[in-house]
Amino acid sequence: MSGRVWKFGDGINTDVLAPGIYIKEPIEILASHCLESIDPNFARSVQLGDIVVGGQNFGMGSSREQAAEVLKVLGVAAVVAQSFGGIFYRNAFNLGLPAIVCADAAKISENDVLDIDYAAGVIQSRATGETLSADAVPSHLMSIVSSGGLVPYLEKALSRKSTAGAAAREA
Amino acid sequence: MNQTLGQTTAEKIIAKAAGFDSVSVGDIVTCQVDLAMIHDSGGPRKVGPILERLGVSVWDPMKVVLVSDHFSPCVDAESASILKLTREWAAEQGVVNFYDQQGICHVVTPERGHLRPGMFAVGGDSHSPTGGAFGCYMFGVGATDMAGVLATGETWIRVPDTIRIDWTGTLPKGVSAKDMCLQMCATLGMDGGRYQAIQYTGETISGLEMFERMTLSNMAAELGAQTGIVQPDETTANFIKAAGSDPGNWQRFLSDEDAIYAETHHFDATGLEPQVAAPHSPANSTRVGDVRGTKIDQFYIGACTGAKLNDLQMAAQVLKGKKVAAGKRLTVAPASARVLSDATKLGVMEILLDSGAQLLPTGCGACAGYGIGQLAEGEICLASTARNFQGRMGEKTSEVYLASPYTVAASAVSGSIADPRDVMENVS
Ligand code: SF4
């Protein structure tokens, strides 16, 4: 996939991604406040397919899944960062939002367009032509993300199980 | 996955949950979940619709603990309907371990005897590492992950490195586990834990009572670790027995002598000074002397981190016979109904209220900006909570400093950040 870059720094936390005071609001409203304390323009201007790039420990903090969900709602296609808060990392994949660990994320600049190969762990910058190496996404997470998230993934898995169960009962 | 190398507590628990004799760091394994803890915010209102969509109910209602704490007590019609939905879901799913407005999940779950050494447990909240204080492998997950657990009874995990954090020496007077946490945040940073397992060891840790150990495990979250385990011992076993449960054969989950640690960090409690974390990160921690005199509007003793019985006792020790500074407010939200009742019996609440503190209902309250006690624009709070990210406790221009209950109480008396040791010289 490919997309245009929004660049953020280190330690982007769940309270700035999904502020607690709007947490009861519908997800679209919560999303309109995403990252506003850092870049008030972001939620208004981000386009479908854009890529958010962060530094260290992106998504650190609470377990609130809305931190990943708001990015998804705003149309963000992937998040690339030097490292991720562990819960955010799981949440992102569970919601079908790929989170890519790239040690060289600091080299990526705002407005660049990136081409990303998740399974191979390769990020290519259209601005510089440079190729950055990233961690390949583990295969079980690839299968979750390619199903569109954990829920559709489980839907398939559980229906396979119940079909298998039904077949076993019939046999 | 057969090997004879020594295993850490984390590895032993994961191996048991995954059905292996042993596991190796980096293995991705599927584990059977012994306990799933959820709350009103990330729980029923989020997982309910997913289970419905999957067409399944909770895999084993007896292995679920549900606690209403984030929106409890309700402050408006929206939070009231969230609590209502939570109750209805509990009844519908047959979740009997449901604690409605009884306190904060991380405190209620162990005090009701649900945690035992060796359990592989997940919580729908980032401070779930608190369970590590009881020798559990307990970690936080988001709502979709939790729905997966509730649907199937299992989840995946990458076997983490174990990072050993060793503490020697005895804590000086007026210094507590909270100060240890802030010191670790300053030294190791908020990603020092690398989403691996922390194991706290050493004589300082063995000497701590359970509530203080819980503070350490709780703030493993601020160190970016997946969990923060304290080796179970007699202190653990006694707490669990007092909670009406059976600690079982906890010895089998102790780390082996030849277990392998990816890193070991040493800290000394002997010279530790009270710590304060400046806005907007627990890693901005420094000695109280460096921020002494900082003006504060609201003082808050609250949260799973800082309003357990020991925390209220620390505050009372400082506040006995003293008054909150004129024009300032000290609010206290006990971490659970049981904590409030114990603190009342022990005379702790009387001391706090006599000092001019305002008692808030038990629950998450202002900690995450969901409940009562939020901050107005530009206001500054000194809190015994775990986290001080920008805008967390209210308006986005408000600021939060973090400290121990000793320091919050001493500062409430002076009206600005103060060193509790100055006040405590005079008390015995
Ligand atoms: S008290 Fe604060 S840190 Fe603890 S569970 Fe509630 S919101 Fe989270």
Side-chain angles (χ1 to χ4, degrees):
Chain A
M1 57 81 59
S2 60
R4 192 175 65 103
V5 170
W6 289 81
K7 184 80 187 285
F8 294 92
D10 290 341
I12 296 297
N13 65 64
T14 50
D15 287 272
V16 303
L17 287 162
I21 48 171
Y22 306 112
I23 207 84
K24 287 177 291 186
E25 305 287 341
I27 191 71
E28 291 74 19
I29 296 191
L30 183 61
S32 72
H33 297 282
C34 175
L35 289 163
E36 70 181 358
S37 61
I38 295 177
D39 180 356
N41 197 34
F42 171 75
R44 239 176 284 143
S45 312
V46 65
Q47 300 288 323
L48 186 69
D50 285 356
I51 295 170
V52 166
V53 177
Q56 301 283 358
N57 215 359
F58 189 97
M60 68 175 185
S62 97
S63 63
R64 69 184 72 155
E65 197 163 68
Q66 292 95 324
E69 198 177 358
V70 288
L71 293 174
K72 183 97 179 152
V73 165
L74 292 171
V76 172
V79 185
V80 176
Q82 279 161 277
S83 64
F84 287 93
I87 303 180
F88 178 91
Y89 183 81
R90 289 179 74 114
N91 286 346
F93 281 98
N94 286 336
L95 294 170
L97 174 69
I100 314 301
V101 180
C102 173
D104 286 335
K107 290 189 187 162
I108 302 170
S109 41
E110 178 94 8
N111 286 324
D112 193 351
V113 174
L114 305 179
D115 297 297
I116 307 180
D117 183 335
Y118 302 130
V122 175
I123 298 176
Q124 188 137 27
S125 154
R126 292 207 189 153
T128 65
E130 209 183 329
T131 301
L132 302 174
S133 78
D135 293 3
V137 173
S139 62
H140 73 291
L141 289 182
M142 270 313 288
S143 49
I144 290 175
V145 114
S146 57
S147 307
L150 183 66
V151 176
Y153 173 84
L154 284 176
E155 252 174 345
K156 272 189 256 166
L158 291 171
S159 77
R160 257 203 312 276
K161 237 188 224 170
S162 62
T163 333
R169 273 192 300 278
E170 267 162 39
Chain B
M1 293 190 207
N2 279 322
Q3 49 161 333
T4 49
L5 283 176
Q7 300 263 298
T8 65
T9 299
E11 288 155 1
K12 288 185 179 186
I13 298 174
I14 292 171
K16 180 193 64 120
F20 297 115
D21 291 336
S22 65
V23 288
S24 305
V25 170
D27 291 347
I28 289 177
V29 293
T30 300
C31 290
Q32 301 299 312
V33 172
D34 296 313
L35 179 90
M37 178 190 81
I38 50 178
H39 57 54
D40 52 350
S41 181
R45 72 189 185 118
K46 298 277 173 195
V47 298
I50 302 177
L51 292 185
E52 232 163 76
R53 177 168 161 194
L54 293 173
V56 295
S57 342
V58 166
W59 97 105
D60 184 348
M62 290 310 291
K63 290 186 174 160
V64 177
V65 172
L66 170 61
V67 181
S68 284
D69 54 8
H70 278 61
F71 295 107
S72 153
C74 51
V75 291
D76 53 19
E78 272 169 295
S79 44
S81 55
I82 292 172
L83 292 177
K84 178 166 177 252
L85 179 153
T86 306
R87 290 180 199 111
E88 287 167 354
W89 186 87
E92 196 182 286
Q93 297 285 329
V95 172
V96 291
N97 301 315
F98 172 38
Y99 301 98
D100 195 6
Q101 320 210 146
Q102 295 298 301
I104 304 165
C105 58
H106 307 296
V107 177
V108 171
T109 303
E111 81 182 4
R112 306 299 172 112
H114 292 293
L115 298 182
R116 294 178 299 281
M119 289 175 91
F120 183 88
V122 295
D125 189 275
S126 63
H127 285 102
S128 301
T130 312
F134 298 86
C136 302
Y137 197 100
M138 186 157 185
F139 62 105
V141 297
T144 302
D145 238 343
M146 182 54 82
V149 169
L150 295 178
T152 63
E154 53 186 45
T155 195
W156 66 272
I157 192 171
R158 176 192 169 280
V159 179
D161 287 338
T162 298
I163 298 174
R164 184 172 159 206
I165 302 187
D166 191 53
W167 278 85
T168 46
T170 311
L171 283 172
K173 195 170 170 181
V175 182
S176 67
K178 178 62 175 289
D179 299 295
M180 296 166 72
C181 291
L182 294 177
Q183 165 82 9
M184 290 187 282
C185 288
T187 310
L188 304 173
M190 287 199 71
D191 50 4
R194 302 187 284 112
Y195 202 52
Q196 309 302 306
I198 285 174
Q199 183 180 313
Y200 296 112
T201 60
E203 57 183 16
T204 320
I205 312 290
S206 322
L208 293 175
E209 49 133 326
M210 287 313 291
F211 284 134
E212 285 283 86
R213 295 181 186 182
M214 285 166 71
T215 304
L216 291 177
S217 295
N218 179 279
M219 287 193 68
E222 276 54 52
L223 291 167
Q226 189 174 34
T227 193
I229 297 175
V230 178
Q231 299 283 286
D233 59 12
E234 288 299 335
T235 306
T236 325
N238 290 337
F239 184 102
I240 292 169
K241 283 183 210 151
S245 190
D246 176 7
N249 176 12
W250 50 267
Q251 288 86 351
R252 63 183 274 227
F253 296 107
L254 296 175
S255 282
D256 292 328
E257 287 288 328
D258 55 346
I260 296 180
Y261 301 96
E263 298 165 32
T264 299
H265 302 277
H266 293 286
F267 289 88
D268 188 1
T270 316
L272 186 63
E273 299 193 48
Q275 304 284 312
V276 176
H280 301 288
S281 168
N284 285 343
S285 291
T286 177
R287 289 173 310 183
V288 65
D290 298 337
V291 286
R292 192 195 305 247
T294 305
K295 289 269 170 294
I296 300 291
D297 299 298
Q298 172 168 313
F299 301 87
Y300 185 56
I301 303 273
C304 51
T305 322
K308 305 180 289 325
L309 182 60
N310 65 316
D311 299 308
L312 302 189
Q313 284 170 318
M314 283 184 232
Q317 219 178 310
V318 172
L319 288 168
K320 189 162 189 183
K322 299 199 177 56
K323 294 280 177 210
V324 173
K328 304 289 175 174
R329 52 190 198 266
L330 168 63
T331 52
V332 179
S336 76
R338 192 165 285 181
V339 164
L340 175 58
S341 138
D342 289 348
T344 305
K345 282 183 205 133
L346 293 167
V348 170
M349 292 317 295
E350 194 182 337
I351 297 173
L352 298 181
L353 296 176
D354 282 350
S355 77
Q358 183 185 27
L359 178 62
L360 299 185
T362 181
C364 294
C367 173
Y370 292 23
I372 294 176
Q374 297 182 19
L375 301 173
E377 213 170 299
E379 282 193 322
I380 305 177
C381 179
L382 177 66
S384 64
T385 58
R387 208 170 263 166
N388 59 344
F389 296 158
Q390 188 161 11
R392 177 169 171 90
M393 287 182 65
E395 271 295 333
K396 53 177 175 281
T397 54
S398 60
E399 296 187 348
V400 182
Y401 287 76
L402 304 175
S404 75
Y406 285 133
T407 305
V408 174
S411 306
V413 171
S414 96
S416 59
I417 295 180
D419 188 332
R421 294 171 302 179
D422 296 344
V423 187
M424 294 178 74
E425 299 296 354
N426 311 319
V427 294
S428 47

